[in-house]
Amino acid sequence: MTRCRVIALLLLSFLPGAAAGGLLPALVPRSTLQLGRARFSARPVLELTTRCDDACARREAALTPQDLQEHLSYETLYANGTRTLTTVELSPRGGGTEKRRQRWRRRRKRQIYGTDGRFSISGPHFLLDYPFSATVKISTGCTGVLVSERHVLTAAHCIHDGKDYVKGARKIKVGFLTPLQGAGNRTGPGGLAMRWARVRRTQVPKGWIRSPNSVSMDYDYALLELRRPHQRPYMKLAVAPAAEEMAGKRIHFSGFDSDRPGELVYRFCGVEDETAHLIYQHCDARPGASGSGVYGKVWDPVWHKWERKVVGVFSGHQWLEVAGEQHDYNVAVRLTAPKFAQICYWIKGDYKSCQKE
């Protein structure tokens, strides 16, 4: 067995996953501790770049169930600046460990791979139509996706740098592209304006809130709860299946890329590689796209049709060094069964109802 395959197996062994049709684990809150007020001292990071080598792979492979529960504990930030830390217990109810082989590719250029494959979505008819209408802008400079009547999924690094909340998180807002009639905010594409909605609270997994030296993309996701419900269709979440189980083995996402100000940018591409926690791909993206909801067409066995569902969150860029060879990818965080259970609990507030998802 080559060293490359050994590292790949190390990444996949011991990491949580869910078999198709398996029951979700139960994420049960245990205690809530009041923390001091947030300082909001961190600088916003629109372009997250990380590196992972052999030591990184071994560290991630050595996670225990206790480590997983620690990572899935979470911090809640309220609009008045107060914080709480909630510890959880994870009770497995089904599924198994994922053991998919990785295929490391040759080194490529960063972020834009060859010909730019992004499409600017124009015209109110398209921008206000599903699924593009479920894409929203985060006031810290990132993108998010609507996942319930009042919840937005985005990247954790858009809110928190691993050590403290970014300055803009103090009064964070969510922007909706809206027809211009009577809108008093800045103009967007196709005669639309950005209407901003206030956020009631923000939740970030403790797996992200660590020293910046140990920041891992594995838990780069956060959930924002709006003060009031919106009136738009939202995207459903799904435990990320293997790429082979999605239509065309493709992923899609839309975001507010910084090099195309005022435009919503859509792209799609094939999945290159995947671990239990990450989706490696070469979808073209620029800063500002972080936090986009990554979706695939997943087969619904009840309705017997393919359905768009969010299976991950676009995080940024990662250099992988395996056996001395560097590999270059854009990366999305996979929604594993434990992460899905956590986000479902954040949305519903009742872990038992999440067992029916």
Side-chain angles (χ1 to χ4, degrees), residues 235-267:
M235 298 201 74
K236 294 180 181 179
L237 300 173
V239 175
E244 291 79 7
E245 297 173 17
M246 292 189 290
K249 302 180 183 178
R250 289 179 181 153
I251 57 171
H252 313 245
F253 60 97
S254 301
F256 294 94
D257 299 45
S258 60
D259 65 331
R260 299 189 184 183
E263 297 183 9
L264 181 64
V265 184
Y266 163 76
R267 76 230 72 196

Side-chain angles (χ1 to χ4, degrees), residues 267-304:
R267 76 230 72 196
F268 68 91
C269 66
V271 175
E272 299 282 342
D273 281 297
E274 52 189 342
T275 68
H277 282 291
L278 301 176
I279 300 171
Y280 293 100
Q281 33 79 20
H282 289 138
C283 283
D284 295 322
R286 296 293 295 170
S290 291
S292 299
V294 174
Y295 63 90
K297 291 186 177 180
V298 181
W299 180 254
D300 189 317
V302 177
W303 296 99
H304 300 286

Side-chain angles (χ1 to χ4, degrees), residues 39-51:
R39 293 176 297 165
F40 302 103
S41 62
R43 302 184 66 177
V45 178
L46 299 185
E47 180 183 8
L48 181 65
T49 300
T50 62
R51 294 180 178 272

Side-chain angles (χ1 to χ4, degrees), residues 132-144:
F132 303 118
S133 60
T135 301
V136 293
K137 188 174 179 64
I138 309 301
S139 59
T140 55
C142 291
T143 299

Side-chain angles (χ1 to χ4, degrees), residues 168-195:
R170 185 188 298 272
K171 296 182 179 180
I172 191 168
K173 295 180 181 179
V174 173
F176 294 77
L177 283 174
T178 308
L180 268 174
Q181 305 113 325
N185 296 329
R186 77 181 78 177
T187 302
L192 302 176
M194 195 67 75
R195 176 180 62 83

Side-chain angles (χ1 to χ4, degrees), residues 26-28 93 345 348-357:
L27 188 127
V28 184
R93 297 285 182 89
Y345 174 73
K348 295 179 177 291
D350 176 12
Y351 73 89
K352 292 181 180 179
S353 65
C354 291
Q355 300 300 298
K356 302 175 185 179
E357 290 294 314

